[in-house]
Amino acid sequence: MEGGTPSLRDQGTQALKEGNLDKAIDFLARAAMADDNDSEAKALLGIAYSQKGLHAQAKRALQTAVEREPRNENHRFNLGIVCERAGDTQGAAIAFRDTLEINPQHAQARAKLNAIPNSQQILANAPKPTGPVGVPGTE
């Protein structure tokens, strides 16, 4: 922070914590546009969109964050939450499964996956990853 001015991401994060979704989306979208590699800003933007009920935008933002940081279990877990809220059961199951592949001890992901009816059958019929989750060069 130069001159004591919080970054766009920091301002967006604060607005999100305060529940000011429009302000959060504004700051976080600007932060994501200013730095295309800021996967944290994209993930937070996805969370803000989701809380506002903008599921398609939320999913897109979180998928981008996951693509940028495939080993980030929080991005994958939050993608699962967004898919769940959007009614995309298969997408949610895949995201929770992938979270558990990164961190088998992720209790929230395990609980969410177990709460999805027929999750094992959904995953059996789901597209398989082309390589180990999050291993660079296997996309």
Side-chain angles (χ1 to χ4, degrees):
M1 283 192 278
E2 290 184 25
T5 304
S7 70
L8 289 169
R9 181 182 358 133
D10 290 342
Q11 292 177 70
T13 301
Q14 186 59 39
L16 185 59
K17 287 178 184 174
E18 294 169 356
N20 188 337
L21 299 179
D22 291 330
K23 192 174 179 183
I25 288 168
D26 177 52
F27 281 124
L28 293 167
R30 288 172 33 206
M33 285 188 288
D35 181 358
D36 193 46
N37 293 316
D38 189 348
S39 61
E40 191 65 28
K42 292 179 191 309
L44 289 166
L45 179 60
I47 291 167
Y49 277 141
S50 179
Q51 289 182 8
K52 193 159 171 83
L54 301 171
H55 302 302
Q57 294 93 323
K59 195 171 172 182
R60 231 181 351 264
L62 275 155
Q63 284 173 327
T64 301
V66 165
E67 289 167 10
R68 297 267 191 272
E69 290 185 348
R71 296 285 307 163
N72 187 312
E73 65 192 69
N74 294 322
H75 296 345
R76 288 192 182 272
F77 178 75
N78 285 322
L79 177 59
I81 296 295
V82 165
C83 289
E84 183 180 61
R85 287 181 179 169
D88 178 3
T89 306
Q90 184 181 55
I94 291 169
F96 296 140
R97 175 202 64 196
D98 291 351
T99 301
L100 290 166
E101 285 186 19
I102 295 167
N103 177 4
Q105 305 306 314
H106 198 292
Q108 290 175 302
R110 183 161 315 285
K112 287 287 194 181
L113 184 59
N114 289 338
I116 296 174
N118 303 314
S119 62
Q120 294 309 313
Q121 183 167 354
I122 290 169
L123 290 173
N125 296 325
K128 305 290 186 256
T130 55
V133 172
V135 176
T138 60
E139 291 88 52

